[in-house]
Amino acid sequence: METYNNNENYRVRGFQFLPPIIKNLLIINVLFYLADMTLGARGIDLSRYLGLHYLSAVDFHWWQYITYMFMHGSFSHLFFNMFALWMFGNALENLWGSRRFLFYYMVTGVGAGLMQTLVVGLDVYFTYAAYPAAAVAQYVNHIVTIGASGAVFGILLAFGMCFPNMPIYLYFLFPIRAKWFVIIYGLLELVAGIGGTADGVAHFAHLGGMLFGIGLILYWRKHGSRIRE
């Protein structure tokens, strides 16, 4: 991985500790979490409408590929995603500019959702093909994906590509270069996904965010970007 910078596509600006897109994403995610908690106490499951369902599920709607990114199942889920978004995303928004950063964030988030759909589809096809259609329909309708993790992994990937030698301190104890951190984390997600760990984590969605991220960055490096501030 190499640090990439030129005046046309990656303009370094005055650094902002909390740039506008990061700030607004933090606010929106917190508001969605509070709304989910408030409505949940009244018996309304917001994830049913905004969480990402499989394509053939009764509760599937196209907008879920966007809204699922703003839903979180617990405070710790929200906190760690938002902390990582700020930690790695603020440098990228300062480097790329707000519009390009938002475009990248949404592409990797939607890409993660598409990867999750593909994985669920393969699971249904190979595992539940012999089951009655009604049973399969009931099963897929209970599979709901929520969280900003896919987009956050895309942000992590971009940070590793744009700042490959930046030290990241694991548990505040010892440094590791960003490029190695990204590679190791990606391999761990791949192993966990292939191993089929029943931890409730959408590992392939994380990888999807990284794959769409690297594809978009490589495209920008070769063809540039028409997104302007």
Side-chain angles (χ1 to χ4, degrees):
M1 297 180 183
E2 300 176 347
T3 302
Y4 179 76
N5 186 22
N6 64 42
N7 292 330
E8 179 181 358
N9 294 309
Y10 291 87
R11 295 174 293 170
V12 179
R13 301 163 174 77
F15 185 84
Q16 298 181 66
F17 181 77
L18 191 62
I21 297 302
I22 295 290
K23 178 177 68 177
N24 283 289
L25 286 174
L26 294 177
I27 292 172
I28 292 171
N29 276 275
V30 170
L31 290 176
F32 268 68
Y33 178 75
L34 293 176
D36 189 29
M37 295 299 99
T38 302
L39 294 175
R42 299 183 179 183
I44 301 174
D45 183 8
L46 202 58
S47 295
R48 177 181 177 184
Y49 306 100
L50 303 182
L52 179 59
H53 292 71
Y54 184 60
L55 295 173
S56 63
V58 174
D59 291 330
F60 170 77
H61 301 283
W62 64 267
W63 61 74
Q64 293 170 353
Y65 278 104
I66 298 174
T67 56
Y68 91 96
M69 290 184 273
F70 303 102
M71 299 292 297
H72 291 85
S74 66
F75 178 77
S76 61
H77 189 199
L78 172 70
F79 175 81
F80 286 110
N81 271 345
M82 294 303 98
F83 179 75
L85 171 61
W86 169 79
M87 181 178 179
F88 300 107
N90 66 342
L92 292 170
E93 185 174 348
N94 277 287
L95 183 66
W96 287 343
S98 296
R99 290 185 181 181
R100 188 173 300 171
F101 177 80
L102 178 60
F103 181 79
Y104 179 88
Y105 183 86
M106 298 304 296
V107 167
T108 53
V110 173
L114 292 172
M115 176 64 78
Q116 179 67 6
T117 297
L118 175 63
V119 170
V120 172
L122 292 173
D123 179 49
V124 170
Y125 179 80
F126 288 106
T127 307
Y128 298 93
Y131 283 64
V136 175
Q138 185 178 16
Y139 167 73
V140 298
N141 204 53
H142 284 83
I143 301 176
V144 185
T145 303
I146 58 174
S149 301
V152 168
F153 269 78
I155 296 298
L156 176 62
L157 181 282
F159 186 89
M161 293 186 70
C162 294
F163 307 98
N165 296 315
M166 182 77 72
I168 297 175
Y169 287 85
L170 296 180
Y171 301 106
F172 306 100
L173 295 177
F174 59 92
I176 180 174
R177 291 187 179 184
K179 58 184 178 182
W180 297 118
F181 180 80
V182 171
I183 292 172
I184 293 171
Y185 216 148
L187 290 174
L188 290 175
E189 287 295 311
L190 179 61
V191 170
I194 294 175
T197 57
D199 55 5
V201 178
H203 296 287
F204 281 108
H206 298 170
L207 291 171
M210 298 179 84
L211 287 174
F212 273 78
I214 194 172
L216 184 55
I217 290 174
L218 291 178
Y219 178 85
W220 281 345
R221 289 184 175 184
K222 184 175 182 180
H223 301 286
S225 171
R226 296 181 180 180
I227 303 173
R228 296 290 181 265
E229 291 299 300

